[in-house]
């Protein structure tokens, strides 16, 4: 029972840390405006 | 296909895989005489069927005017041997240690009056050409950030896999930093159809080559896209065999700096398509222009000032690269 409680505690702790990192991580989001367009590359 | 002296230039190609096949196709379409060596008899047969001359041994390539090295790394020992014979070399190597060693052949290349173009693929290669092009749009470039997605042939896929498990390289405020591979997640929006992917630091050669080409730039980073499984298994052997024909890929280069009035400027360029085709177009353009126009003796990356006269980005567009620019608000993340 003690082992089970410890395992559950460890799992919830890991979940909480992962959730915090997921929310507070610095990954950013892709730009929401604009996009890509083809450009010609003239000779120098 | 005539060289600088008006005589026909014979090209050599070591490695007729996915990328090598694309290079051979482009060189032959340009009317070049091409000698191909590959340890795989089936690959050699394909090269011969395409119109190339088979070379039974790698030593035969030394008789060519320009040789493209397109097999798995390391390229440095073979490049040294070819340079010693006075043959100019174009290498598509992207392994960081291999690229370091190739750059170390600069003295040898100068001594024998031959040229070694290092990192002539998608990244490094096209990434450097895009960086050079972007640098002309920014008054003073402070930062260069490269991100890539996708792999060419199986050798490239293995290199991508290994690079995530090794120490990465970056230039940060005037000094080299060596963060662990697989760290520094950033969500990067590549040209369509690739779209947004999480990218991470990896042991890739772009920072090394870009710092040589742009010594005044304060920050240079390079990232590769990866999944959770890629990062988790990076230090293990590849669990699944790489895709034999490569996949769709993209490169994105961001230059940040100051405009003429001191205002902050960010410009972004990229390209997408089959990774092997992008790499092949750049390598073929480099080989053709090197034979046609020539370049100063020594080892150079494609971003170097010494080879801007080759106009490789323009010529790569004629061989299948479509350059795109990002138009919109570039939202800085944490780079």
């Amino acid at each position: 029972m003690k082992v089970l409680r410890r395992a559950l505690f460890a799992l919830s702790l890991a979940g909480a840390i992962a959730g915090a990192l997921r929310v507070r991580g610095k990954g950013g989001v892709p730009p929401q405006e604009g996009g890509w367009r083809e450009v010609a590359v003239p000779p120098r | 296909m005539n060289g600088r002296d008006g005589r026909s230039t014979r090209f050599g190609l070591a490695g007729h895989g996915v990328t090598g096949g694309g290079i051979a196709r482009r060189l032959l379409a340009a009317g070049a005489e091409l000698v191909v060596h590959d340890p795989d008899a089936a690959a050699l047969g394909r090269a011969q069927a395409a119109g190339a001359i088979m070379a039974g041994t790698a030593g035969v390539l030394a008789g060519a005017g320009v040789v493209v090295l397109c097999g798995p790394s390391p390229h440095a020992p073979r490049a040294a041997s070819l340079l010693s014979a006075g043959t100019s070399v174009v290498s598509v190597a992207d392994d960081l240690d291999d690229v370091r060693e190739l750059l170390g052949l600069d003295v040898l290349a100068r001594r024998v009056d031959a040229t070694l173009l290092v990192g002539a693929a998608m990244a490094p290669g096209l990434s450097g050409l895009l960086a050079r092009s972007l640098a002309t749009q920014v008054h003073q470039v402070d930062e260069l950030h490269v991100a890539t997605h996708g792999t060419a042939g199986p050798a490239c896929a293995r290199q991508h896999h290994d690079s995530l498990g090794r120490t990465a390289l970056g230039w940060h405020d005037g000094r080299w930093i060596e963060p662990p591979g697989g760290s520094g997640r950033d969500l990067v929006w590549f040209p369509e159809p690739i779209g947004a992917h999480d990218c991470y630091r990896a042991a890739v050669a772009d920072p090394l080559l870009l710092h040589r080409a742009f010594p005044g730039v304060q920050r240079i980073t390079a990232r590769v896209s990866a999944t959770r499984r890629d990062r988790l298994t990076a230090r293990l052997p590849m669990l699944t065999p790489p895709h034999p024909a490569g996949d769709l890929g993209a490169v994105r280069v961001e230059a940040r700096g100051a405009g003429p009035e001191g205002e902050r400027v960010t410009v972004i360029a990229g390209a997408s398509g089959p990774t092997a085709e992008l790499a092949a177009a750049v390598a073929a353009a480099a080989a053709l222009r090197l034979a046609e126009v020539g370049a100063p003796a020594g080892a150079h990356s494609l971003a170097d000032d010494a080879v801007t006269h080759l106009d490789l980005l323009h010529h790569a567009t004629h061989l299948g690269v479509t350059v795109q620019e990002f138009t919109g608000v570039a939202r800085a993340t944490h780079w």
Side-chain angles (χ1 to χ4, degrees):
Chain A
M1 197 61 192
K2 195 173 176 183
V3 173
L4 185 65
R5 273 207 309 272
R6 281 185 179 172
L8 283 173
F9 176 72
L11 278 175
S12 2
L13 188 64
I17 292 171
L21 288 175
R22 181 97 182 160
V23 172
R24 296 184 58 82
K26 295 189 286 181
V29 293
Q32 302 296 306
E33 305 165 36
W36 291 91
R37 70 177 179 94
E38 288 184 21
V39 287
V41 182
R44 291 174 67 88
Chain B
M1 171 73 232
N2 292 331
R4 279 175 288 172
D5 53 5
R7 288 184 303 175
S8 172
T9 301
R10 174 179 272 209
F11 291 84
L13 175 65
H16 193 269
V18 182
T19 305
I23 296 170
R25 204 167 58 247
R26 286 167 172 83
L27 293 179
L28 290 168
E33 184 184 359
L34 178 66
V35 185
V36 175
H37 173 73
D38 194 300
D40 178 16
L44 264 188
R46 285 195 298 276
Q48 193 181 28
I53 302 164
M54 289 202 297
T57 61
V60 176
L61 297 181
V66 176
V67 172
V68 183
L69 297 181
C70 198
S73 281
H75 285 186
R78 184 171 286 185
S81 157
L82 289 164
L83 288 171
S84 300
T87 304
S88 288
V89 176
V90 175
S91 164
V92 305
D94 55 358
D95 177 82
L96 181 54
D97 295 333
D98 199 17
V99 167
R100 271 201 186 101
E101 286 188 35
L102 285 164
L103 292 174
L105 297 175
D106 182 58
V107 175
L108 170 64
R110 286 174 196 273
R111 197 169 64 231
V112 299
D113 195 26
T115 306
L116 169 60
L117 294 182
V118 181
M122 184 179 85
L126 182 54
S127 52
L129 297 177
L130 292 172
R132 179 57 68 188
S133 168
L134 290 175
T136 62
Q137 301 171 37
V138 181
H139 185 65
Q140 183 187 328
V141 182
D142 299 329
E143 301 182 33
L144 286 169
H145 304 291
V146 176
T148 57
H149 171 81
T151 54
C156 181
R158 288 190 192 92
Q159 162 61 21
H160 171 268
H161 174 84
D162 292 343
S163 70
L164 284 163
R166 292 165 52 199
T167 303
L169 185 69
W171 182 254
H172 191 90
D173 294 344
R175 67 186 180 89
W176 288 111
I177 55 169
E178 295 188 328
S183 65
R185 176 171 68 93
D186 219 323
L187 189 55
V188 175
W189 193 11
F190 292 98
E192 298 303 335
I194 303 302
H197 284 270
D198 276 330
C199 292
Y200 303 85
R201 292 190 184 99
V204 291
D206 271 305
L208 187 65
L209 296 177
L210 289 175
H211 177 61
R212 260 177 65 105
F214 303 96
V217 172
Q218 292 300 303
R219 294 184 182 186
I220 303 173
T221 65
R223 283 173 166 80
V224 299
S225 70
T227 61
R228 285 193 179 91
R229 191 183 69 174
D230 291 336
R231 294 167 61 221
L232 190 68
T233 62
R235 286 164 182 82
L236 305 171
M238 284 186 86
L239 298 179
T240 50
H243 197 287
D247 57 6
L248 277 181
V251 57
R252 176 189 186 276
V253 182
E254 178 170 337
R256 299 180 192 166
E261 307 297 323
E263 73 278 15
R264 296 302 296 169
V265 178
T266 301
V267 285
I268 301 168
S272 62
T275 311
E277 294 300 315
L278 293 175
V282 172
L288 288 166
R289 293 293 289 166
L290 186 56
E292 203 176 347
V293 183
H300 311 287
S301 84
L302 301 197
D304 283 358
D305 239 348
V307 295
T308 48
H309 68 286
L310 297 180
D311 202 7
L312 291 178
L313 188 56
H314 170 72
H315 286 87
T317 60
H318 286 293
L319 295 175
V321 173
T322 302
V323 176
Q324 301 188 49
E325 69 173 6
F326 179 73
T327 57
V329 182
R331 188 177 306 177
T333 51
H334 65 295
W335 286 116

